[in-house]
PDB file of all heavy atoms in Angstrom:
ATOM      1  N   HIS A   1       2.512  -2.620   3.351  1.00 94.00           N
ATOM      2  CA  HIS A   1       3.886  -2.816   2.860  1.00 94.00           C
ATOM      3  C   HIS A   1       4.443  -4.191   3.221  1.00 94.00           C
ATOM      4  O   HIS A   1       5.204  -4.789   2.458  1.00 94.00           O
ATOM      5  CB  HIS A   1       4.815  -1.711   3.386  1.00 94.00           C
ATOM      6  CG  HIS A   1       5.037  -1.763   4.865  1.00 94.00           C
ATOM      7  ND1 HIS A   1       6.090  -2.425   5.432  1.00 94.00           N
ATOM      8  CD2 HIS A   1       4.316  -1.238   5.897  1.00 94.00           C
ATOM      9  CE1 HIS A   1       6.025  -2.306   6.752  1.00 94.00           C
ATOM     10  NE2 HIS A   1       4.963  -1.595   7.056  1.00 94.00           N
ATOM     11  N   GLY A   2       4.060  -4.725   4.382  1.00 92.00           N
ATOM     12  CA  GLY A   2       4.568  -6.028   4.797  1.00 92.00           C
ATOM     13  C   GLY A   2       4.016  -7.180   3.976  1.00 92.00           C
ATOM     14  O   GLY A   2       4.544  -8.301   4.030  1.00 92.00           O
ATOM     15  N   TYR A   3       2.969  -6.919   3.220  1.00 94.00           N
ATOM     16  CA  TYR A   3       2.312  -7.958   2.424  1.00 94.00           C
ATOM     17  C   TYR A   3       2.968  -8.124   1.053  1.00 94.00           C
ATOM     18  O   TYR A   3       2.747  -9.128   0.370  1.00 94.00           O
ATOM     19  CB  TYR A   3       0.836  -7.567   2.260  1.00 94.00           C
ATOM     20  CG  TYR A   3      -0.104  -8.671   1.812  1.00 94.00           C
ATOM     21  CD1 TYR A   3      -0.170  -9.882   2.490  1.00 94.00           C
ATOM     22  CD2 TYR A   3      -0.950  -8.479   0.725  1.00 94.00           C
ATOM     23  CE1 TYR A   3      -1.047 -10.877   2.094  1.00 94.00           C
ATOM     24  CE2 TYR A   3      -1.831  -9.463   0.317  1.00 94.00           C
ATOM     25  CZ  TYR A   3      -1.877 -10.661   1.008  1.00 94.00           C
ATOM     26  OH  TYR A   3      -2.754 -11.645   0.614  1.00 94.00           O
ATOM     27  N   ILE A   4       3.797  -7.133   0.670  1.00 95.00           N
ATOM     28  CA  ILE A   4       4.390  -7.165  -0.671  1.00 95.00           C
ATOM     29  C   ILE A   4       5.261  -8.401  -0.905  1.00 95.00           C
ATOM     30  O   ILE A   4       5.082  -9.101  -1.910  1.00 95.00           O
ATOM     31  CB  ILE A   4       5.197  -5.875  -0.949  1.00 95.00           C
ATOM     32  CG1 ILE A   4       4.261  -4.663  -0.974  1.00 95.00           C
ATOM     33  CG2 ILE A   4       5.936  -5.987  -2.285  1.00 95.00           C
ATOM     34  CD1 ILE A   4       4.982  -3.334  -1.147  1.00 95.00           C
ATOM     35  N   PRO A   5       6.219  -8.743   0.001  1.00 93.00           N
ATOM     36  CA  PRO A   5       7.066  -9.918  -0.268  1.00 93.00           C
ATOM     37  C   PRO A   5       6.248 -11.200  -0.419  1.00 93.00           C
ATOM     38  O   PRO A   5       6.570 -12.049  -1.258  1.00 93.00           O
ATOM     39  CB  PRO A   5       7.974  -9.979   0.972  1.00 93.00           C
ATOM     40  CG  PRO A   5       7.990  -8.588   1.505  1.00 93.00           C
ATOM     41  CD  PRO A   5       6.627  -8.049   1.232  1.00 93.00           C
ATOM     42  N   ARG A   6       5.186 -11.324   0.382  1.00 94.00           N
ATOM     43  CA  ARG A   6       4.358 -12.524   0.303  1.00 94.00           C
ATOM     44  C   ARG A   6       3.650 -12.611  -1.048  1.00 94.00           C
ATOM     45  O   ARG A   6       3.569 -13.668  -1.665  1.00 94.00           O
ATOM     46  CB  ARG A   6       3.333 -12.518   1.448  1.00 94.00           C
ATOM     47  CG  ARG A   6       2.730 -13.876   1.719  1.00 94.00           C
ATOM     48  CD  ARG A   6       1.691 -13.831   2.808  1.00 94.00           C
ATOM     49  NE  ARG A   6       2.168 -13.136   4.004  1.00 94.00           N
ATOM     50  CZ  ARG A   6       1.393 -12.887   5.056  1.00 94.00           C
ATOM     51  NH1 ARG A   6       0.115 -13.237   5.041  1.00 94.00           N
ATOM     52  NH2 ARG A   6       1.881 -12.257   6.110  1.00 94.00           N
ATOM     53  N   MET A   7       3.142 -11.452  -1.511  1.00 95.00           N
ATOM     54  CA  MET A   7       2.437 -11.450  -2.790  1.00 95.00           C
ATOM     55  C   MET A   7       3.409 -11.658  -3.952  1.00 95.00           C
ATOM     56  O   MET A   7       3.088 -12.345  -4.924  1.00 95.00           O
ATOM     57  CB  MET A   7       1.687 -10.123  -2.942  1.00 95.00           C
ATOM     58  CG  MET A   7       0.502 -10.181  -3.889  1.00 95.00           C
ATOM     59  SD  MET A   7      -0.780 -11.310  -3.315  1.00 95.00           S
ATOM     60  CE  MET A   7      -0.824 -12.471  -4.679  1.00 95.00           C
ATOM     61  N   GLN A   8       4.606 -11.080  -3.831  1.00 95.00           N
ATOM     62  CA  GLN A   8       5.624 -11.293  -4.859  1.00 95.00           C
ATOM     63  C   GLN A   8       6.011 -12.771  -4.926  1.00 95.00           C
ATOM     64  O   GLN A   8       6.229 -13.330  -6.010  1.00 95.00           O
ATOM     65  CB  GLN A   8       6.868 -10.443  -4.573  1.00 95.00           C
ATOM     66  CG  GLN A   8       6.662  -8.942  -4.690  1.00 95.00           C
ATOM     67  CD  GLN A   8       6.635  -8.436  -6.122  1.00 95.00           C
ATOM     68  OE1 GLN A   8       6.475  -9.210  -7.056  1.00 95.00           O
ATOM     69  NE2 GLN A   8       6.761  -7.132  -6.300  1.00 95.00           N
ATOM     70  N   ALA A   9       6.079 -13.414  -3.764  1.00 95.00           N
ATOM     71  CA  ALA A   9       6.401 -14.843  -3.722  1.00 95.00           C
ATOM     72  C   ALA A   9       5.300 -15.656  -4.392  1.00 95.00           C
ATOM     73  O   ALA A   9       5.569 -16.617  -5.126  1.00 95.00           O
ATOM     74  CB  ALA A   9       6.595 -15.292  -2.276  1.00 95.00           C
ATOM     75  N   ALA A  10       4.055 -15.263  -4.159  1.00 96.00           N
ATOM     76  CA  ALA A  10       2.927 -15.976  -4.762  1.00 96.00           C
ATOM     77  C   ALA A  10       2.964 -15.847  -6.286  1.00 96.00           C
ATOM     78  O   ALA A  10       2.731 -16.826  -7.011  1.00 96.00           O
ATOM     79  CB  ALA A  10       1.613 -15.425  -4.213  1.00 96.00           C
ATOM     80  N   VAL A  11       3.266 -14.660  -6.763  1.00 97.00           N
ATOM     81  CA  VAL A  11       3.346 -14.423  -8.204  1.00 97.00           C
ATOM     82  C   VAL A  11       4.488 -15.250  -8.806  1.00 97.00           C
ATOM     83  O   VAL A  11       4.358 -15.822  -9.900  1.00 97.00           O
ATOM     84  CB  VAL A  11       3.524 -12.912  -8.488  1.00 97.00           C
ATOM     85  CG1 VAL A  11       3.928 -12.674  -9.928  1.00 97.00           C
ATOM     86  CG2 VAL A  11       2.240 -12.160  -8.163  1.00 97.00           C
ATOM     87  N   GLU A  12       5.598 -15.318  -8.081  1.00 96.00           N
ATOM     88  CA  GLU A  12       6.719 -16.139  -8.541  1.00 96.00           C
ATOM     89  C   GLU A  12       6.317 -17.608  -8.610  1.00 96.00           C
ATOM     90  O   GLU A  12       6.665 -18.327  -9.553  1.00 96.00           O
ATOM     91  CB  GLU A  12       7.915 -15.960  -7.604  1.00 96.00           C
ATOM     92  CG  GLU A  12       9.151 -16.724  -8.048  1.00 96.00           C
ATOM     93  CD  GLU A  12      10.369 -16.486  -7.168  1.00 96.00           C
ATOM     94  OE1 GLU A  12      10.336 -15.547  -6.341  1.00 96.00           O
ATOM     95  OE2 GLU A  12      11.344 -17.250  -7.309  1.00 96.00           O
ATOM     96  N   ALA A  13       5.551 -18.065  -7.603  1.00 96.00           N
ATOM     97  CA  ALA A  13       5.090 -19.451  -7.579  1.00 96.00           C
ATOM     98  C   ALA A  13       4.171 -19.759  -8.756  1.00 96.00           C
ATOM     99  O   ALA A  13       4.087 -20.901  -9.214  1.00 96.00           O
ATOM    100  CB  ALA A  13       4.364 -19.734  -6.266  1.00 96.00           C
ATOM    101  N   LEU A  14       3.492 -18.724  -9.262  1.00 96.00           N
ATOM    102  CA  LEU A  14       2.613 -18.893 -10.425  1.00 96.00           C
ATOM    103  C   LEU A  14       3.391 -18.831 -11.744  1.00 96.00           C
ATOM    104  O   LEU A  14       2.801 -18.912 -12.818  1.00 96.00           O
ATOM    105  CB  LEU A  14       1.534 -17.803 -10.418  1.00 96.00           C
ATOM    106  CG  LEU A  14       0.509 -17.862  -9.282  1.00 96.00           C
ATOM    107  CD1 LEU A  14      -0.323 -16.583  -9.249  1.00 96.00           C
ATOM    108  CD2 LEU A  14      -0.400 -19.080  -9.438  1.00 96.00           C
ATOM    109  N   GLY A  15       4.713 -18.652 -11.629  1.00 95.00           N
ATOM    110  CA  GLY A  15       5.545 -18.590 -12.827  1.00 95.00           C
ATOM    111  C   GLY A  15       5.607 -17.217 -13.457  1.00 95.00           C
ATOM    112  O   GLY A  15       5.957 -17.075 -14.635  1.00 95.00           O
ATOM    113  N   LYS A  16       5.293 -16.161 -12.670  1.00 96.00           N
ATOM    114  CA  LYS A  16       5.239 -14.795 -13.209  1.00 96.00           C
ATOM    115  C   LYS A  16       6.189 -13.860 -12.464  1.00 96.00           C
ATOM    116  O   LYS A  16       5.874 -12.686 -12.238  1.00 96.00           O
ATOM    117  CB  LYS A  16       3.807 -14.252 -13.132  1.00 96.00           C
ATOM    118  CG  LYS A  16       2.778 -15.090 -13.881  1.00 96.00           C
ATOM    119  CD  LYS A  16       3.033 -15.098 -15.384  1.00 96.00           C
ATOM    120  CE  LYS A  16       1.999 -15.928 -16.122  1.00 96.00           C
ATOM    121  NZ  LYS A  16       2.233 -15.932 -17.579  1.00 96.00           N
ATOM    122  N   LYS A  17       7.347 -14.376 -12.096  1.00 95.00           N
ATOM    123  CA  LYS A  17       8.313 -13.568 -11.350  1.00 95.00           C
ATOM    124  C   LYS A  17       8.641 -12.280 -12.102  1.00 95.00           C
ATOM    125  O   LYS A  17       8.868 -12.291 -13.310  1.00 95.00           O
ATOM    126  CB  LYS A  17       9.594 -14.364 -11.121  1.00 95.00           C
ATOM    127  CG  LYS A  17      10.627 -13.631 -10.264  1.00 95.00           C
ATOM    128  CD  LYS A  17      11.858 -14.500 -10.025  1.00 95.00           C
ATOM    129  CE  LYS A  17      12.877 -13.761  -9.162  1.00 95.00           C
ATOM    130  NZ  LYS A  17      14.087 -14.587  -8.912  1.00 95.00           N
ATOM    131  N   GLY A  18       8.642 -11.156 -11.368  1.00 95.00           N
ATOM    132  CA  GLY A  18       8.990  -9.869 -11.955  1.00 95.00           C
ATOM    133  C   GLY A  18       7.864  -9.197 -12.703  1.00 95.00           C
ATOM    134  O   GLY A  18       8.065  -8.155 -13.327  1.00 95.00           O
ATOM    135  N   GLN A  19       6.659  -9.779 -12.656  1.00 97.00           N
ATOM    136  CA  GLN A  19       5.548  -9.217 -13.414  1.00 97.00           C
ATOM    137  C   GLN A  19       4.498  -8.546 -12.529  1.00 97.00           C
ATOM    138  O   GLN A  19       3.387  -8.273 -12.967  1.00 97.00           O
ATOM    139  CB  GLN A  19       4.896 -10.309 -14.275  1.00 97.00           C
ATOM    140  CG  GLN A  19       5.800 -10.777 -15.407  1.00 97.00           C
ATOM    141  CD  GLN A  19       5.187 -11.903 -16.228  1.00 97.00           C
ATOM    142  OE1 GLN A  19       5.686 -13.024 -16.239  1.00 97.00           O
ATOM    143  NE2 GLN A  19       4.111 -11.612 -16.917  1.00 97.00           N
ATOM    144  N   LEU A  20       4.863  -8.275 -11.277  1.00 98.00           N
ATOM    145  CA  LEU A  20       3.979  -7.548 -10.361  1.00 98.00           C
ATOM    146  C   LEU A  20       4.702  -6.325  -9.818  1.00 98.00           C
ATOM    147  O   LEU A  20       5.803  -6.436  -9.279  1.00 98.00           O
ATOM    148  CB  LEU A  20       3.545  -8.439  -9.193  1.00 98.00           C
ATOM    149  CG  LEU A  20       2.801  -7.731  -8.049  1.00 98.00           C
ATOM    150  CD1 LEU A  20       1.447  -7.203  -8.522  1.00 98.00           C
ATOM    151  CD2 LEU A  20       2.611  -8.666  -6.853  1.00 98.00           C
ATOM    152  N   ASP A  21       4.114  -5.164  -9.998  1.00 98.00           N
ATOM    153  CA  ASP A  21       4.620  -3.928  -9.392  1.00 98.00           C
ATOM    154  C   ASP A  21       3.596  -3.449  -8.372  1.00 98.00           C
ATOM    155  O   ASP A  21       2.391  -3.434  -8.660  1.00 98.00           O
ATOM    156  CB  ASP A  21       4.811  -2.831 -10.447  1.00 98.00           C
ATOM    157  CG  ASP A  21       6.040  -3.058 -11.305  1.00 98.00           C
ATOM    158  OD1 ASP A  21       7.089  -3.398 -10.731  1.00 98.00           O
ATOM    159  OD2 ASP A  21       5.957  -2.908 -12.533  1.00 98.00           O
ATOM    160  N   VAL A  22       4.062  -3.062  -7.211  1.00 98.00           N
ATOM    161  CA  VAL A  22       3.176  -2.547  -6.164  1.00 98.00           C
ATOM    162  C   VAL A  22       3.562  -1.109  -5.852  1.00 98.00           C
ATOM    163  O   VAL A  22       4.737  -0.816  -5.579  1.00 98.00           O
ATOM    164  CB  VAL A  22       3.238  -3.399  -4.884  1.00 98.00           C
ATOM    165  CG1 VAL A  22       2.329  -2.798  -3.804  1.00 98.00           C
ATOM    166  CG2 VAL A  22       2.835  -4.836  -5.172  1.00 98.00           C
ATOM    167  N   ILE A  23       2.592  -0.228  -5.921  1.00 98.00           N
ATOM    168  CA  ILE A  23       2.795   1.177  -5.560  1.00 98.00           C
ATOM    169  C   ILE A  23       2.102   1.413  -4.234  1.00 98.00           C
ATOM    170  O   ILE A  23       0.903   1.133  -4.082  1.00 98.00           O
ATOM    171  CB  ILE A  23       2.205   2.111  -6.642  1.00 98.00           C
ATOM    172  CG1 ILE A  23       2.935   1.922  -7.965  1.00 98.00           C
ATOM    173  CG2 ILE A  23       2.272   3.568  -6.190  1.00 98.00           C
ATOM    174  CD1 ILE A  23       2.296   2.674  -9.124  1.00 98.00           C
ATOM    175  N   LEU A  24       2.852   1.906  -3.260  1.00 98.00           N
ATOM    176  CA  LEU A  24       2.282   2.187  -1.940  1.00 98.00           C
ATOM    177  C   LEU A  24       1.868   3.656  -1.845  1.00 98.00           C
ATOM    178  O   LEU A  24       2.577   4.542  -2.320  1.00 98.00           O
ATOM    179  CB  LEU A  24       3.292   1.865  -0.837  1.00 98.00           C
ATOM    180  CG  LEU A  24       3.645   0.386  -0.672  1.00 98.00           C
ATOM    181  CD1 LEU A  24       4.692   0.223   0.431  1.00 98.00           C
ATOM    182  CD2 LEU A  24       2.416  -0.456  -0.366  1.00 98.00           C
ATOM    183  N   VAL A  25       0.718   3.883  -1.232  1.00 97.00           N
ATOM    184  CA  VAL A  25       0.186   5.239  -1.084  1.00 97.00           C
ATOM    185  C   VAL A  25       0.136   5.581   0.402  1.00 97.00           C
ATOM    186  O   VAL A  25      -0.562   4.920   1.174  1.00 97.00           O
ATOM    187  CB  VAL A  25      -1.223   5.349  -1.699  1.00 97.00           C
ATOM    188  CG1 VAL A  25      -1.772   6.763  -1.539  1.00 97.00           C
ATOM    189  CG2 VAL A  25      -1.194   4.950  -3.173  1.00 97.00           C
ATOM    190  N   GLN A  26       0.882   6.605   0.771  1.00 96.00           N
ATOM    191  CA  GLN A  26       0.934   7.003   2.174  1.00 96.00           C
ATOM    192  C   GLN A  26      -0.316   7.795   2.572  1.00 96.00           C
ATOM    193  O   GLN A  26      -1.104   8.240   1.742  1.00 96.00           O
ATOM    194  CB  GLN A  26       2.182   7.850   2.441  1.00 96.00           C
ATOM    195  CG  GLN A  26       3.357   7.066   2.971  1.00 96.00           C
ATOM    196  CD  GLN A  26       3.136   6.488   4.366  1.00 96.00           C
ATOM    197  OE1 GLN A  26       2.093   6.703   4.977  1.00 96.00           O
ATOM    198  NE2 GLN A  26       4.112   5.755   4.857  1.00 96.00           N
ATOM    199  N   LEU A  27      -0.436   7.969   3.868  1.00 90.00           N
ATOM    200  CA  LEU A  27      -1.598   8.649   4.435  1.00 90.00           C
ATOM    201  C   LEU A  27      -1.649  10.124   4.035  1.00 90.00           C
ATOM    202  O   LEU A  27      -0.639  10.748   3.757  1.00 90.00           O
ATOM    203  CB  LEU A  27      -1.565   8.552   5.963  1.00 90.00           C
ATOM    204  CG  LEU A  27      -1.689   7.147   6.561  1.00 90.00           C
ATOM    205  CD1 LEU A  27      -1.452   7.209   8.054  1.00 90.00           C
ATOM    206  CD2 LEU A  27      -3.052   6.561   6.249  1.00 90.00           C
ATOM    207  N   VAL A  28      -2.856  10.645   4.035  1.00 92.00           N
ATOM    208  CA  VAL A  28      -3.082  12.064   3.805  1.00 92.00           C
ATOM    209  C   VAL A  28      -3.462  12.708   5.135  1.00 92.00           C
ATOM    210  O   VAL A  28      -4.370  12.246   5.820  1.00 92.00           O
ATOM    211  CB  VAL A  28      -4.227  12.289   2.786  1.00 92.00           C
ATOM    212  CG1 VAL A  28      -4.472  13.783   2.592  1.00 92.00           C
ATOM    213  CG2 VAL A  28      -3.909  11.616   1.468  1.00 92.00           C
ATOM    214  N   ASN A  29      -2.735  13.748   5.498  1.00 89.00           N
ATOM    215  CA  ASN A  29      -3.102  14.537   6.678  1.00 89.00           C
ATOM    216  C   ASN A  29      -3.956  15.700   6.202  1.00 89.00           C
ATOM    217  O   ASN A  29      -3.457  16.653   5.610  1.00 89.00           O
ATOM    218  CB  ASN A  29      -1.846  15.066   7.392  1.00 89.00           C
ATOM    219  CG  ASN A  29      -0.969  13.935   7.906  1.00 89.00           C
ATOM    220  OD1 ASN A  29      -1.456  12.963   8.466  1.00 89.00           O
ATOM    221  ND2 ASN A  29       0.330  14.058   7.692  1.00 89.00           N
ATOM    222  N   LEU A  30      -5.241  15.597   6.436  1.00 85.00           N
ATOM    223  CA  LEU A  30      -6.173  16.622   5.986  1.00 85.00           C
ATOM    224  C   LEU A  30      -6.254  17.710   7.050  1.00 85.00           C
ATOM    225  O   LEU A  30      -6.546  17.434   8.217  1.00 85.00           O
ATOM    226  CB  LEU A  30      -7.547  16.005   5.732  1.00 85.00           C
ATOM    227  CG  LEU A  30      -8.536  16.832   4.935  1.00 85.00           C
ATOM    228  CD1 LEU A  30      -8.001  17.111   3.538  1.00 85.00           C
ATOM    229  CD2 LEU A  30      -9.874  16.111   4.840  1.00 85.00           C
ATOM    230  N   LEU A  31      -5.953  18.942   6.639  1.00 86.00           N
ATOM    231  CA  LEU A  31      -5.905  20.055   7.587  1.00 86.00           C
ATOM    232  C   LEU A  31      -6.981  21.081   7.270  1.00 86.00           C
ATOM    233  O   LEU A  31      -7.304  21.333   6.114  1.00 86.00           O
ATOM    234  CB  LEU A  31      -4.531  20.733   7.532  1.00 86.00           C
ATOM    235  CG  LEU A  31      -3.305  19.835   7.682  1.00 86.00           C
ATOM    236  CD1 LEU A  31      -2.038  20.648   7.485  1.00 86.00           C
ATOM    237  CD2 LEU A  31      -3.287  19.150   9.042  1.00 86.00           C
ATOM    238  N   ARG A  32      -7.521  21.654   8.325  1.00 80.00           N
ATOM    239  CA  ARG A  32      -8.461  22.757   8.182  1.00 80.00           C
ATOM    240  C   ARG A  32      -8.160  23.743   9.320  1.00 80.00           C
ATOM    241  O   ARG A  32      -8.273  23.384  10.488  1.00 80.00           O
ATOM    242  CB  ARG A  32      -9.907  22.267   8.273  1.00 80.00           C
ATOM    243  CG  ARG A  32     -10.947  23.331   7.901  1.00 80.00           C
ATOM    244  CD  ARG A  32     -12.360  22.882   8.302  1.00 80.00           C
ATOM    245  NE  ARG A  32     -12.729  21.634   7.671  1.00 80.00           N
ATOM    246  CZ  ARG A  32     -13.185  21.540   6.419  1.00 80.00           C
ATOM    247  NH1 ARG A  32     -13.308  22.626   5.688  1.00 80.00           N
ATOM    248  NH2 ARG A  32     -13.527  20.376   5.917  1.00 80.00           N
ATOM    249  N   GLY A  33      -7.755  24.959   8.930  1.00 71.00           N
ATOM    250  CA  GLY A  33      -7.398  25.930   9.965  1.00 71.00           C
ATOM    251  C   GLY A  33      -6.233  25.471  10.814  1.00 71.00           C
ATOM    252  O   GLY A  33      -6.159  25.779  12.012  1.00 71.00           O
ATOM    253  N   GLY A  34      -5.324  24.702  10.213  1.00 72.00           N
ATOM    254  CA  GLY A  34      -4.146  24.228  10.937  1.00 72.00           C
ATOM    255  C   GLY A  34      -4.399  23.007  11.797  1.00 72.00           C
ATOM    256  O   GLY A  34      -3.464  22.460  12.379  1.00 72.00           O
ATOM    257  N   GLU A  35      -5.646  22.553  11.866  1.00 80.00           N
ATOM    258  CA  GLU A  35      -5.982  21.400  12.694  1.00 80.00           C
ATOM    259  C   GLU A  35      -6.218  20.175  11.822  1.00 80.00           C
ATOM    260  O   GLU A  35      -6.909  20.256  10.799  1.00 80.00           O
ATOM    261  CB  GLU A  35      -7.247  21.689  13.521  1.00 80.00           C
ATOM    262  CG  GLU A  35      -7.092  22.804  14.530  1.00 80.00           C
ATOM    263  CD  GLU A  35      -6.131  22.444  15.650  1.00 80.00           C
ATOM    264  OE1 GLU A  35      -6.129  21.266  16.057  1.00 80.00           O
ATOM    265  OE2 GLU A  35      -5.376  23.327  16.102  1.00 80.00           O
ATOM    266  N   GLN A  36      -5.651  19.041  12.234  1.00 82.00           N
ATOM    267  CA  GLN A  36      -5.852  17.812  11.468  1.00 82.00           C
ATOM    268  C   GLN A  36      -7.258  17.274  11.695  1.00 82.00           C
ATOM    269  O   GLN A  36      -7.778  17.294  12.817  1.00 82.00           O
ATOM    270  CB  GLN A  36      -4.824  16.759  11.878  1.00 82.00           C
ATOM    271  CG  GLN A  36      -4.871  15.514  10.996  1.00 82.00           C
ATOM    272  CD  GLN A  36      -3.675  14.600  11.212  1.00 82.00           C
ATOM    273  OE1 GLN A  36      -2.607  15.057  11.622  1.00 82.00           O
ATOM    274  NE2 GLN A  36      -3.842  13.325  10.957  1.00 82.00           N
ATOM    275  N   ILE A  37      -7.872  16.778  10.616  1.00 75.00           N
ATOM    276  CA  ILE A  37      -9.223  16.233  10.697  1.00 75.00           C
ATOM    277  C   ILE A  37      -9.122  14.732  10.861  1.00 75.00           C
ATOM    278  O   ILE A  37      -8.478  14.044  10.069  1.00 75.00           O
ATOM    279  CB  ILE A  37     -10.026  16.573   9.423  1.00 75.00           C
ATOM    280  CG1 ILE A  37     -10.121  18.088   9.268  1.00 75.00           C
ATOM    281  CG2 ILE A  37     -11.421  15.954   9.465  1.00 75.00           C
ATOM    282  CD1 ILE A  37     -10.679  18.528   7.932  1.00 75.00           C
ATOM    283  N   ALA A  38      -9.778  14.202  11.907  1.00 67.00           N
ATOM    284  CA  ALA A  38      -9.717  12.768  12.180  1.00 67.00           C
ATOM    285  C   ALA A  38     -10.562  11.995  11.177  1.00 67.00           C
ATOM    286  O   ALA A  38     -11.588  12.480  10.711  1.00 67.00           O
ATOM    287  CB  ALA A  38     -10.213  12.486  13.598  1.00 67.00           C
ATOM    288  N   MET A  39     -10.086  10.783  10.825  1.00 58.00           N
ATOM    289  CA  MET A  39     -10.821   9.950   9.880  1.00 58.00           C
ATOM    290  C   MET A  39     -10.875   8.515  10.401  1.00 58.00           C
ATOM    291  O   MET A  39      -9.854   7.924  10.711  1.00 58.00           O
ATOM    292  CB  MET A  39     -10.139   9.960   8.515  1.00 58.00           C
ATOM    293  CG  MET A  39     -10.179  11.298   7.810  1.00 58.00           C
ATOM    294  SD  MET A  39      -9.286  11.258   6.242  1.00 58.00           S
ATOM    295  CE  MET A  39      -7.598  11.256   6.826  1.00 58.00           C
ATOM    296  N   SER A  40     -12.082   7.963  10.498  1.00 53.00           N
ATOM    297  CA  SER A  40     -12.263   6.572  10.892  1.00 53.00           C
ATOM    298  C   SER A  40     -13.620   6.105  10.415  1.00 53.00           C
ATOM    299  O   SER A  40     -14.647   6.603  10.859  1.00 53.00           O
ATOM    300  CB  SER A  40     -12.175   6.416  12.419  1.00 53.00           C
ATOM    301  OG  SER A  40     -12.562   5.115  12.789  1.00 53.00           O
ATOM    302  N   THR A  41     -13.623   5.134   9.504  1.00 47.00           N
ATOM    303  CA  THR A  41     -14.885   4.677   8.930  1.00 47.00           C
ATOM    304  C   THR A  41     -15.791   4.078   9.993  1.00 47.00           C
ATOM    305  O   THR A  41     -16.973   4.359  10.053  1.00 47.00           O
ATOM    306  CB  THR A  41     -14.618   3.617   7.827  1.00 47.00           C
ATOM    307  OG1 THR A  41     -13.647   4.131   6.944  1.00 47.00           O
ATOM    308  CG2 THR A  41     -15.882   3.299   7.072  1.00 47.00           C
TER     309      THR A  41
END
């Protein structure tokens, strides 16, 4: 999320202000039997 303003600024610098939309996807808490499953690549 903190990278969005920087990328929007870059797009504006390229002459394309307002032509970038960013959709953020939050984390998924995967549960099995009420217990969260840890994830780390």
